[in-house]
């Protein structure tokens, strides 16, 4: 399960270049070319990080950022703003609305990747690590092994992806649709009920030896890794 990065940028060539470089590093990338489409994209599949252009055809990046930070479901998305302007005043205005970091255009790829990685590390320390831990649950991303209180648990590939996805942001509740888009992929025709089936399997697998249930079902909202 890779890290998802969303890009909202109206320059097609820049999207292509960013996608190429980020995918080469193992990131999964989605993109939109307008603020309106961008917000729809974020809602359908909450990314681990957003690369946001300052100047978009419909809204400004600042407006988008303000919207994100006011939305309880979106506000934890770290925002890396791309700007052609280097004026300090604008940057301060951006930071005030919740922009986490900046890259000034034109930028080189190395700089952008460094900024992306350092922002991810700062915002989500568990994301880039080889081993993710929640309570007594341990996911080893290299060997793809899962342990509960040091006891190895065998998971199917989908259950592993689900757990690895949940453990990136424990306690965050995801709808079935968000889980489908993030874990199964956007263009796959799978029914929402399928999510329930795999959640049931995951829950059964990790809740061993009468240990507490680490999967929380939130009625009419979805699921989270919680206790
Ligand atoms: Ca632009």
């Amino acid at each position: 399960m890779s890290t998802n990065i969303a890009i909202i940028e109206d320059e097609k060539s820049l999207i292509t270049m960013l996608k190429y470089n980020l995918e080469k590093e193992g990131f999964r990338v989605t993109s939109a070319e307008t603020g309106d489409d961008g917000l729809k994209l974020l809602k359908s599949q909450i990314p681990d990080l957003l690369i946001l252009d300052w100047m978009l055809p419909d809204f400004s990046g600042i407006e988008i950022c303000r919207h994100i930070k006011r939305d309880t479901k979106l506000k934890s998305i770290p925002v890396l703003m791309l700007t052609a302007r280097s004026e300090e005043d604008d940057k301060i205005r951006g930071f005030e609305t919740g922009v986490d970091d900046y890259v000034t255009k034109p930028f080189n790829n190395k700089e952008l990747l460094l900024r992306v990685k350092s922002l991810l590390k700062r915002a989500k320390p568990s994301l880039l690590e080889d081993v993710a831990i929640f309570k007594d649950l341990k996911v080893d991303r290299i060997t793809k092994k899962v342990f509960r209180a040091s006891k190895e648990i065998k998971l199917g590939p989908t259950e592993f992806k689900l757990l690895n996805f949940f453990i990136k942001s424990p306690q965050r509740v995801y709808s079935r649709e968000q889980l489908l888009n993030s874990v199964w992929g956007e263009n796959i025709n799978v029914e929402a009920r399928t999510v329930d089936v795999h959640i049931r399997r995951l829950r059964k697998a990790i809740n061993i030896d009468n240990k507490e249930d680490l999967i929380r079902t939130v009625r009419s909202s979805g699921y989270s890794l919680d206790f």
Side-chain angles (χ1 to χ4, degrees), residues 31-53:
S31 63
E33 289 172 27
T34 64
D36 199 33
D37 286 346
L39 283 172
K40 280 182 199 144
L41 174 73
L42 297 183
K43 283 172 187 165
S44 75
Q45 187 186 348
I46 294 172
D48 299 303
L49 183 137
L50 169 65
I51 297 177
L52 177 62
D53 186 28

Side-chain angles (χ1 to χ4, degrees), residues 38-102:
L39 283 172
K40 280 182 199 144
L41 174 73
L42 297 183
K43 283 172 187 165
S44 75
Q45 187 186 348
I46 294 172
D48 299 303
L49 183 137
L50 169 65
I51 297 177
L52 177 62
D53 186 28
W54 182 287
M55 298 285 255
L56 292 163
D58 48 356
F59 297 106
S60 75
I62 292 289
E63 284 171 307
I64 301 287
C65 190
R66 199 172 285 139
H67 187 97
I68 290 170
K69 297 298 172 182
R70 277 193 196 138
D71 187 314
T72 48
K73 283 192 176 144
L74 305 180
K75 68 179 180 191
S76 62
I77 303 171
V79 177
L80 180 65
M81 186 79 103
L82 299 180
T83 172
R85 317 169 179 194
S86 51
E87 291 91 344
E88 288 307 306
D89 284 357
D90 286 338
K91 285 194 179 171
I92 289 164
R93 198 152 66 88
F95 282 125
E96 278 169 356
T97 60
V99 171
D100 296 277
D101 201 3
Y102 277 94

Side-chain angles (χ1 to χ4, degrees), residues 1 9 12 43 76 84 93 97 99 102 120 128 131 140-141 162 169-170 176 181 188 195 203 205 220:
M1 182 71 217
E9 162 65 73
K12 281 196 174 78
K43 283 172 187 165
S76 62
R93 198 152 66 88
T97 60
V99 171
Y102 277 94
L120 279 171
L128 300 177
V131 175
D140 187 323
R141 295 183 169 128
L162 260 175
S169 301
R176 288 171 180 81
N181 289 335
I188 287 173
V195 175
R203 178 178 256 145
S220 76

